[in-house]
Amino acid sequence: AVRLKPGSSPFIGFPFFRAGNSAVAMLRVAARSIAARTCSVSLRPALRSLRPAAAVLPSRSFAAAAASKPKMEDGTLEGRYATALFMASKDKLDKVYGDLAALRGMMAESQELKLAIETPGIEPESKVAAFEAICSKAGMDGSVVNFLKVLVENKRAHLLSRMIDIFENFYRAEKGLVLCKVTSAAPLTSAQQGQVKAAMQQRAQGSELIMEYNTNPAMLGGLVVKMGEAVLDNSVSTRLERLQGQLLAPVA
């Protein structure tokens, strides 16, 4: 992490700061941090080339290989990019998904990297060179690297996080995976989690569940389960709200 003097900030007037040197510095710090976690080889050659934005790369298109579309559709701009990547990675879907998940994890761990990716004030050629180095050291698939290049060149890099989320939805649909979020007032024991999973598995109609357990003390008790688009709310707080509504309703 970058240590700052009291009262100082790396984002002079963010988001309207001078993106040039500040943004380059952020990307350098982020790249060094990622490189240290992924490989002992230095990324200094790529980092030295980072410069404030002064030129625009020639436009390129992300050509998707001939493959079937995802089983679910997303007509948003982010969805169209995620669909193109999905179609281009049909024969290596697990690898590409793993790389995108790893990239999302890097962004979550390093605020500097996230800001560098989403900041437009870095020369595209320099940004692409740094990302190529990072992806190379992390062993990411070439289609992921090319995808990132296209996002930078088309000025869409700030949408990367959303694109990864959509790609994840495509991947889960392709693999028959369904996210099942369980929220309780207090943490469930292992036995209770097993009971909930068994009960929800009967509703899953053959799909494999990805269980996620959360807590929300405001529920007071009971469970709220979200499986796919379906929501089962059996929390005490919701039942109390319904009871209150019934008690306050005018008598016929």
Side-chain angles (χ1 to χ4, degrees):
V2 179
R3 294 183 177 276
L4 301 175
K5 296 180 180 180
S8 64
S9 171
F11 321 122
I12 306 170
F14 183 82
F16 305 107
F17 67 96
R18 294 182 180 177
N21 294 332
S22 298
V24 170
M26 285 190 293
L27 185 52
R28 284 174 174 162
V29 171
R32 291 193 186 102
S33 176
I34 298 302
R37 290 197 293 271
T38 57
C39 183
S40 60
V41 179
S42 175
L43 295 180
R44 289 178 183 173
L47 298 177
R48 288 197 189 103
S49 67
L50 290 176
R51 300 183 299 277
V56 178
L57 287 176
S59 177
R60 91 170 68 194
S61 60
F62 183 63
S68 59
K69 292 184 178 181
K71 292 183 178 179
M72 59 186 300
E73 295 183 359
D74 189 305
T76 63
L77 175 63
E78 298 94 326
R80 294 196 293 272
Y81 275 86
T83 298
L85 177 59
F86 182 90
M87 295 176 65
S89 56
K90 265 297 200 178
D91 58 341
K92 47 190 174 182
L93 192 57
D94 292 338
K95 169 62 175 169
V96 171
Y97 171 67
D99 289 346
L100 291 177
L103 183 59
R104 180 170 57 188
M106 293 177 187
M107 293 170 63
E109 292 177 8
S110 173
Q111 184 68 10
E112 292 88 354
L113 176 62
K114 185 176 187 298
L115 286 172
I117 290 176
E118 297 177 352
T119 298
I122 301 176
E123 187 180 58
E125 290 179 350
S126 301
K127 200 169 188 179
V128 165
F131 291 160
E132 282 181 328
I134 292 173
C135 292
S136 175
K137 302 312 176 185
M140 294 187 179
D141 188 81
S143 60
V144 174
V145 179
N146 192 39
F147 182 68
L148 293 175
K149 290 180 183 179
V150 171
L151 295 186
V152 172
E153 294 167 11
N154 293 348
K155 305 184 186 301
R156 297 288 187 264
H158 63 288
L159 303 175
L160 176 60
S161 294
R162 177 57 183 157
M163 292 175 188
I164 294 177
D165 290 342
I166 295 174
F167 189 94
E168 183 173 60
N169 292 336
F170 293 164
Y171 176 82
R172 288 174 175 173
E174 184 71 18
K175 298 294 183 178
L177 305 174
V178 177
L179 179 62
C180 184
K181 294 184 178 181
V182 180
T183 305
S184 56
L188 300 179
T189 64
S190 298
Q192 290 172 330
Q193 290 182 2
Q195 293 173 353
V196 173
K197 183 176 181 179
M200 298 310 299
Q201 191 66 62
Q202 295 179 3
R203 292 173 170 261
Q205 300 178 348
S207 299
E208 181 179 348
L209 295 181
I210 302 175
M211 302 301 297
E212 180 180 304
Y213 299 94
N214 304 296
T215 58
N216 180 8
M219 290 172 47
L220 303 179
L223 295 175
V224 175
V225 181
K226 185 177 187 299
M227 186 174 69
E229 299 300 322
V231 178
L232 306 175
D233 189 343
N234 192 36
S235 63
V236 172
S237 59
T238 298
R239 281 182 280 172
L240 288 175
E241 288 178 3
R242 292 172 183 166
L243 178 59
Q244 183 181 32
Q246 294 173 355
L247 293 176
L248 294 178
V251 178

